[in-house]
């Protein structure tokens, strides 16, 4: 079922069918996550409000990213903060599951920075 926007144009045609949370987050089995670079976007649950671009919050997010990197859970060469979401490139350790690393980082940063990142 295709959704209509206020102006009558189609927007998010599959949201009613599968929803955003129904999308798979694990790479296919034939993809070796330790040999690929992934572009990841993580959004705040409350969209449209500046939650991330404050010095204290940014510092926590960057420090947590560096901590995970020192522990060799991932390698993140680029991380960009936007007001309500974060983009980054990441390669994951051979012995770490990508979804587990990202979920752990989200839990940690959400708690430390007192923000609510979407699940």
């Amino acid at each position: 079922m295709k959704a209509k926007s206020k102006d009558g144009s189609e927007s998010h045609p599959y949201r009613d069918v599968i929803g955003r949370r129904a999308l798979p987050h694990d790479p296919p089995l034939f993809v070796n996550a330790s040999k690929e670079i992934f572009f990841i976007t993580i959004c705040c649950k409350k969209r449209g409000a500046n939650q991330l671009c404050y010095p204290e919050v940014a510092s926590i997010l960057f420090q947590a990213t560096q901590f995970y990197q020192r522990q060799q859970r991932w390698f993140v060469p680029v991380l960009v903060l936007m007001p309500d979401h974060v983009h980054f490139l990441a390669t994951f350790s051979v012995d770490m599951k990508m979804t587990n690393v990202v979920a752990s980082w989200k839990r940690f940063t959400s708690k430390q920075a007192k923000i609510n990142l979407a699940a």
Side-chain angles (χ1 to χ4, degrees), residues 13-54:
Y14 300 108
R15 181 166 285 164
D16 294 337
V17 178
I18 60 173
R20 289 182 62 97
R21 295 203 40 156
L23 296 174
H25 288 87
D26 283 323
L29 295 175
F30 61 85
V31 174
N32 183 341
S34 67
K35 294 183 178 179
E36 302 299 335
I37 299 172
F38 294 89
F39 176 77
I40 298 174
T41 300
I42 299 173
C43 300
C44 293
K45 274 199 173 176
K46 183 180 178 187
R47 296 298 308 265
N50 181 7
Q51 299 179 65
L52 304 180
C53 294
Y54 295 104

Side-chain angles (χ1 to χ4, degrees), residues 13 15 19 21 26 32 53 71 75 91 106 111 114 117:
R15 181 166 285 164
R21 295 203 40 156
D26 283 323
N32 183 341
C53 294
Q71 289 196 328
F75 173 68
T91 299
K106 286 168 55 174
K111 185 184 227 182
K114 297 178 178 69
L117 297 174

Side-chain angles (χ1 to χ4, degrees), residues 35-107:
K35 294 183 178 179
E36 302 299 335
I37 299 172
F38 294 89
F39 176 77
I40 298 174
T41 300
I42 299 173
C43 300
C44 293
K45 274 199 173 176
K46 183 180 178 187
R47 296 298 308 265
N50 181 7
Q51 299 179 65
L52 304 180
C53 294
Y54 295 104
E56 308 81 31
V57 174
S59 178
I60 291 168
L61 295 173
F62 290 129
Q63 287 177 18
T65 302
Q66 291 172 344
F67 177 77
Y68 275 53
Q69 190 159 298
R70 283 191 305 271
Q71 289 196 328
Q72 298 181 350
R73 296 183 189 190
W74 64 15
F75 173 68
V76 176
V78 177
L79 185 136
V80 179
L81 291 180
M82 305 302 284
D84 65 351
H85 63 283
V86 59
H87 298 290
F88 59 94
L89 299 176
T91 299
F92 295 87
S93 174
V94 174
D95 56 344
M96 303 296 285
K97 189 173 177 187
M98 179 177 76
T99 54
N100 293 346
V101 174
V102 173
S104 173
W105 182 84
K106 286 168 55 174
R107 277 190 306 275

